[in-house]
Amino acid sequence: MSLSFNPETLPLPIGHFIGGKLIEAYDGLDMHRPSDGAAHAQCPVADTERVNHAVENAKAALKSSNWGGVRPRERTKSLQAWADLIEAEAGTLAKIEALSSTRPVGQLVAGDIAVTAEQIRFFAEFADKEGSNVVPTDDQTFGMTISEPYGVVGAITPWNFPISMAGWKLGPALAAGNAVVIKPSEMTPFSTVYMAQLAVRAGIPAGLINVVLGDGPTTGNALTGHADIARVSFTGSTRAGSAIMENIARTGVKPMTLELGGKSPQLVFADADLNKAAAAIASSVTFNAGQACVAGTRLIVEKSVADELIAAIIAQMQTARPGPTWDAATQYSPIISERQRSRIASIVEAAKAAGGECLTGGYAMEGAGYFYAPTLISGATQDNPAIIEEIFGPVLTVQTFEGEEEALALSAHPVYGLASGLFTSDLSRTLRFARALEAGTVWVNRYSRSRDHILPTGGYKRSGIGKDLGREAYETNRKSKSVLISL
Ligand code: NAD
């Protein structure tokens, strides 16, 4: 069955989702479909009162369901049922997501949604396996650490992978025994609402997942500053991450996980498999049109193989077929908004003014929607805007090096340290660089995640604090109490 659909007739769950009920609301911020620019809905904006209402419901649901205190396997089973229903309803969920986001419907079911269901199951399995510990003491005392859920977690997600990001936040928080109030991006809110509806249908107690829609300054601020939000989990830009830290510092103290921006390098040595490197590098900047936090947008290649590699990358960059996100055959995504496309264009112009040259692309694509051509810029020095700025679009820069020292120096970014790629067949060099690269993730001879969800993800420097995925994401949703008993 084709997943292609008519964007004019798709029903959407428009409203906040609180206490297990959709609170319909249709007025708010204008939403435009990235694929054709058409205004298609408004995103309601939850004010402080609405956020308070959501937090109250989360607290009440925690109490009435005893979610944090039931046999942990009950949480596992409920989350597994939710993952099953997400898979069963993947077609509908994919369409809701594709309509307002940059994710092509044909990539969502087997990609984002299947992986999200698997990650929810992965986190569900921690519930009855990780816990409290007895610690070594002398025989006159008994010491232990008791692990407990926080209570109500506040989560905020970006627009670039809305379903995946909701799964990263909700899965570990719920498995660990918490309730969540989540605010998706105002540009792509409805797939998160649908996921929450599925959770209730799957038997997760109503009120454990509440979705408040709105923007950062109104809804996001009310959520992160709420006295009963015990911890905050955020994914988005470094700028918004700073604003959230400031708001939390002003309104109280609470732990937070911040998954922020990146400007990740990919280093290619002459001894690498260049075909493999070209495919990985091209797809890391064309996948979702480069709108990924980990996009490997700075190619740093050994001079002797630069021409050969650049030609192979340009050929690969041009293969992804653009089209509307509701066409199942589409491979190449639009940019999320006209504003963001103009920003990409202006950084490319500034890069050229500072000495860069476009070897391919460098223009907005003609026709409907906010498409921008895959772009490769050479001749940029370390202070060029295309090297410094997180462009969040399909723009790759290329710089050349001679020797490991120069490669490492070029790879360092003054602000970001999210991910990095290394292509080489030299084992010793691999291990030297795995240590030396200043990034939360180092991919070697590949540039993508696998489905090994045990590997955490998170940034060095101003790319973030804390981790999503892995054991860390579960543990960070529990707090630890030390108990010491004199016998
Ligand atoms: P953004 O920071 O503009 O918005 C992200 C979310 O934060 C949205 O829901 C927004 O409404 C909210 N927000 C904005 N200001 C806020 C405030 N002051 N208080 C509370 N909430 C606020 O980011 P975006 O444009 O939606 O997403 C792109 C950014 O996200 C990029 O920088 C990208 O690198 C980053 N990102 C990081 C990761 C990661 O794992 N590190 C993953 C995906 C995206």
Side-chain angles (χ1 to χ4, degrees):
M1 191 190 66
S2 171
L3 284 163
S4 296
F5 66 98
N6 178 352
E8 307 301 339
T9 55
L10 187 75
L12 293 170
I14 302 184
H16 315 286
F17 188 74
I18 297 177
K21 293 191 191 76
L22 183 69
I23 300 172
E24 292 183 30
Y26 296 96
D27 294 338
L29 307 165
D30 285 335
M31 295 175 63
H32 295 266
R33 299 191 299 233
S35 296
D36 64 1
H40 74 288
Q42 295 198 333
C43 175
V45 179
D47 58 11
T48 304
E49 204 179 317
R50 182 67 73 197
V51 171
N52 291 347
H53 177 215
V55 177
E56 282 310 316
N57 268 271
K59 281 167 56 186
L62 270 182
K63 197 168 176 191
S64 62
S65 67
N66 191 27
W67 182 249
V70 293
R71 252 180 80 231
R73 195 75 203 159
E74 296 304 316
R75 292 202 296 274
T76 309
K77 285 197 295 200
S78 296
L79 287 167
Q80 286 171 336
W82 182 35
D84 291 347
L85 194 56
I86 286 173
E87 278 183 338
E89 294 284 334
T92 306
L93 182 57
K95 288 171 190 168
I96 294 171
E97 176 94 318
L99 184 74
S100 28
S101 82
T102 60
R103 304 293 303 122
V105 69
Q107 294 178 2
L108 280 163
V109 170
D112 309 32
I113 295 174
V115 172
T116 296
E118 196 173 273
Q119 287 169 340
I120 289 169
R121 290 192 191 101
F122 167 84
F123 284 116
E125 284 295 340
F126 280 97
D128 63 351
K129 296 178 187 66
E130 295 289 318
S132 309
N133 287 311
V134 174
V135 299
T137 54
D138 66 39
D139 61 5
Q140 297 306 303
T141 44
F142 189 90
M144 58 186 164
T145 56
I146 298 182
S147 160
E148 299 172 334
Y150 275 97
V152 186
V153 171
I156 297 179
T157 51
W159 51 262
N160 59 342
F161 297 100
I163 292 171
S164 310
M165 296 299 106
W168 285 14
K169 304 301 185 197
L170 293 168
L174 289 164
N178 303 285
V180 184
V181 179
I182 183 168
K183 191 203 83 63
S185 167
E186 58 274 34
M187 288 188 269
T188 55
F190 305 127
S191 54
T192 305
V193 174
Y194 192 63
M195 283 174 78
Q197 289 179 315
L198 292 179
V200 172
R201 275 173 55 194
I204 292 182
L208 287 184
I209 302 177
N210 303 280
V211 188
V212 287
L213 308 193
D215 61 8
T218 310
T219 314
N221 244 3
L223 183 60
T224 59
H226 196 294
D228 290 331
I229 291 291
R231 79 177 295 273
V232 165
S233 184
F234 171 75
T235 297
S237 61
T238 297
R239 178 193 47 75
S242 291
I244 287 170
M245 286 186 91
E246 194 181 336
N247 190 43
I248 289 176
R250 217 166 29 77
T251 53
V253 171
K254 63 187 71 162
M256 63 187 107
T257 300
L258 302 177
E259 298 292 349
L260 309 177
K263 185 73 188 177
S264 301
Q266 305 209 53
L267 281 65
V268 183
F269 283 84
D271 61 8
D273 177 335
L274 294 186
N275 287 332
K276 202 169 162 183
I281 292 163
S283 90
S284 90
V285 285
T286 54
F287 180 67
N288 208 28
Q291 299 164 106
C293 54
V294 293
T297 50
R298 290 188 297 130
L299 168 61
I300 298 164
V301 54
E302 194 158 3
K303 204 168 191 171
S304 60
V305 294
D307 291 346
E308 185 185 345
L309 184 70
I310 289 168
I313 290 174
I314 290 176
Q316 296 261 357
M317 276 176 129
Q318 289 160 350
T319 59
R321 180 171 3 143
T325 47
W326 43 84
D327 179 344
T330 292
Q331 297 167 325
Y332 186 67
S333 298
I335 303 303
I336 186 68
S337 64
E338 182 60 64
R339 186 159 161 250
Q340 173 60 11
R341 183 167 72 163
S342 304
R343 179 176 176 272
I344 294 170
S346 72
I347 297 175
V348 170
E349 287 313 311
K352 288 199 288 191
E357 182 196 352
C358 282
L359 301 184
T360 187
Y363 55 87
M365 292 162 91
E366 283 178 9
Y370 310 136
F371 291 86
Y372 194 89
T375 299
L376 179 49
I377 298 176
S378 70
T381 47
Q382 284 302 76
D383 55 355
N384 188 292
I387 300 283
I388 299 287
E389 297 283 331
E390 183 189 41
I391 300 176
F392 228 58
V395 182
L396 177 68
T397 57
V398 55
Q399 298 170 286
T400 59
F401 67 85
E402 288 173 292
E404 286 189 5
E405 208 174 312
E406 192 182 6
L408 201 56
L410 289 172
S411 76
H413 190 278
V415 172
Y416 297 119
L418 192 57
S420 54
L422 172 68
F423 294 85
T424 179
S425 56
D426 182 327
L427 178 61
S428 302
R429 175 185 290 143
T430 298
L431 294 173
R432 275 195 300 278
F433 272 74
R435 285 199 177 129
L437 285 165
E438 282 192 274
T441 292
V442 179
W443 282 309
V444 182
N445 294 329
R446 61 181 294 140
Y447 199 85
S448 58
R449 290 181 214 289
S450 66
R451 286 170 79 152
D452 302 297
H453 313 304
I454 193 70
L455 275 168
T457 180
Y460 278 20
K461 301 186 185 173
R462 274 173 263 167
S463 286
I465 300 173
K467 301 286 183 186
D468 274 339
L469 295 180
R471 185 181 301 279
E472 284 87 339
Y474 179 83
E475 283 173 351
T476 203
N477 277 287
R478 308 268 300 178
K479 57 190 177 189
S480 156
K481 178 186 285 171
S482 293
V483 178
L484 189 63
I485 305 165
S486 281
L487 304 179

